Amino acid sequence: TACRFGQWLHGDGRAAYAELAAFSAIGPLHDAVHALGHELAALSHEHRHAEAQQRLPDLLALRDQLIAQLHVLIGDIADKQRTGQARHAP
């Protein structure tokens, strides 16, 4: 919850969208982005820059997954507002 997105995720986001399956998939992705980011920062701090750069595609892939899941959530929110139900089942 140290980043602004984490604060939203565990606060207003959870209060508004916790019942949506798409929302529950976001937390683990967010945590994975942070965990890998910390690993890469530690490698860099240890002057293991080549190793950190080799893992950068993994971080970018996690970022892309998180963004894709946010798009699913946006769709579910729109569907819920239109019909009262989300389009993706848990």
Side-chain angles (χ1 to χ4, degrees):
T1 59
C3 73
R4 287 194 181 263
F5 182 76
Q7 292 169 0
W8 173 85
L9 185 68
H10 296 286
D12 291 342
R14 176 170 285 152
Y17 309 119
E19 79 281 0
L20 299 176
F23 182 83
S24 65
I26 291 172
L29 287 169
H30 176 248
D31 293 344
V33 167
H34 275 285
L36 185 52
H38 287 294
E39 286 180 38
L40 298 182
L43 287 171
S44 183
H45 182 73
E46 295 168 2
H47 304 287
R48 296 164 58 189
H49 303 293
E51 289 177 63
Q53 283 190 328
Q54 288 175 348
R55 302 279 315 274
L56 192 56
D58 297 334
L59 181 62
L60 296 176
L62 283 170
R63 175 208 59 189
D64 292 345
Q65 290 174 33
L66 179 57
I67 291 169
Q69 192 61 35
L70 287 168
H71 284 287
V72 172
L73 177 63
I74 289 167
D76 280 0
I77 292 167
D79 286 350
K80 181 181 177 186
Q81 289 173 344
R82 268 193 306 273
T83 66
Q85 295 194 6
R87 65 185 156 141
H88 299 286

